[in-house]
Amino acid sequence: MPLSWFACANCGFWQRHFAPPDCPVCVDVRNDLPEDGWCFLPEPDVARTHVGEGREVASGLWAFTTTPALGLAGTGWLIVRPGGNIAFEAAPYYSDAMLAQIEGLGGIRFLSASHVHGYGALFQLQRRFDPAIVAIQKEDLRMTKAFRVTLPFDDHYELAPGYTLHQVGGHYDGQACLHDAPGGRLFCGDMFKLDQDANGRSTAISSHTAFHKDIPLTHAELRRYRDVTAPLAFDAVLTPFEFAPEVDSGVALAALDEGLARTPGVKRLPL
Ligand SMILES: [Zn+2]
Ligand SMILES: [Zn+2]
């Protein structure tokens, strides 16, 4: 059977394979195995059954989502800027109309993601907007087989002036955040999880190694989050799932300090 792309129906992780034996994301301790066994969706099936859209959620900031939900149902962020657009995290799948919309916004020059839960259909963006630079922290390279990393980085890397990737580890060894200094935003990966109400307003904040299993971070991991985050100025955070204008640098640091002041354990702090 020839190589092609398959999405895990449980988590949405894409693999380029002829017959995926399992899904490395679901097998990992942070995810649950599918109750009814493996189901891998060939790309043409996903293309036939999924649509999506891009919405401008703040000036020059677009959110791309896929309908119906696929896998973890993440959001692909697109920062539209004169020096070349930056895509951080990716939607689970991009329809032709979504790719055309991105093209109309100026395409993509830089592609990156915090960790595997934010990869989505990053392979599609690379395929369409080649030769975009694809920057991923080196500790997570083992999860990137569906696309090609062109720029592995170590501790930090300035992707474009004012846009800097920082390894934060914790949740995943290679987890990285993107600090958007011009926009005053921190694309924080799964450093933080926001509970939100039906109107998209954040009601609680937490940090964890595995959210669904409530496995906490160690104090050293929380301290690393704090050391990296403290020097960065931001008024909002964006996870692979949520946009939280309620969480500025003060709120984020206070949440980390609260975790450092007690026995490790997942706690949802009301906002
Ligand atoms: Zn999976
Ligand atoms: Zn995650």
Side-chain angles (χ1 to χ4, degrees):
M1 208 184 287
L3 277 177
S4 55
W5 277 275
F6 294 87
C8 169
N10 193 43
C11 77
F13 181 68
W14 284 93
Q15 300 185 67
R16 187 160 183 259
H17 216 291
F18 24 83
D22 61 22
C23 168
V25 175
C26 289
V27 163
D28 184 90
V29 71
R30 299 166 189 81
N31 257 47
D32 286 324
L33 289 166
E35 293 288 341
D36 300 319
W38 296 121
C39 173
F40 296 104
L41 307 168
E43 188 186 353
D45 288 9
V46 177
R48 201 168 45 245
T49 51
H50 289 75
V51 292
E53 60 162 0
R55 292 175 300 118
E56 191 173 24
V57 294
S59 179
L61 175 66
W62 291 71
F64 286 83
T65 51
T66 307
T67 316
L70 175 64
L72 302 178
T75 297
W77 306 108
L78 183 72
I79 303 167
V80 175
R81 55 185 286 281
N85 296 345
I86 300 172
F88 194 70
E89 322 288 22
Y93 195 72
Y94 293 85
S95 64
D96 288 344
M98 291 160 79
L99 293 170
Q101 193 179 0
I102 295 173
E103 185 97 59
L105 290 166
I108 294 172
R109 179 155 173 217
F110 306 97
L111 257 171
S112 186
S114 57
H115 68 298
V116 66
H117 296 156
Y119 290 173
L122 197 151
F123 77 93
Q124 279 188 287
L125 300 180
Q126 179 169 48
R127 200 167 61 184
R128 173 70 173 247
F129 299 104
D130 188 52
I133 289 165
V134 180
I136 297 286
Q137 209 284 332
K138 66 175 182 184
E139 298 299 333
D140 275 4
L141 282 184
R142 66 202 158 81
M143 304 301 264
T144 60
K145 208 166 156 68
F147 51 93
R148 191 172 73 83
V149 175
T150 68
L151 199 159
F153 62 93
D154 296 299
D155 182 64
H156 63 278
Y157 184 80
E158 192 173 33
L159 200 54
Y163 296 85
T164 307
L165 295 158
H166 298 268
Q167 183 194 6
V168 294
H171 174 55
Y172 268 80
D173 290 344
Q175 181 176 228
C177 63
L178 172 69
H179 183 229
D180 165 0
R185 300 182 185 111
L186 185 68
F187 294 83
C188 67
D190 280 339
M191 259 204 286
F192 297 109
K193 170 70 188 165
L194 285 315
D195 295 340
Q196 295 192 325
D197 64 19
N199 300 318
R201 202 197 163 281
S202 301
T203 54
I205 185 169
S206 56
S207 290
H208 51 87
T209 290
F211 180 71
H212 297 294
K213 288 190 162 58
D214 268 0
I215 302 174
L217 294 156
T218 67
H219 278 173
E221 289 169 329
L222 284 174
R223 210 169 295 118
R224 166 83 183 161
Y225 281 8
R226 198 193 193 290
D227 289 347
V228 173
T229 309
L232 309 176
F234 57 92
D235 305 317
V237 301
L238 299 94
T239 76
F241 311 99
E242 300 106 10
F243 176 27
E246 303 87 358
V247 180
D248 62 12
S249 131
V251 171
L253 290 179
L256 297 174
D257 286 339
E258 193 278 338
L260 283 165
R262 59 177 166 81
T263 306
V266 174
K267 186 169 163 186
R268 289 159 181 79
L269 295 174
L271 289 172

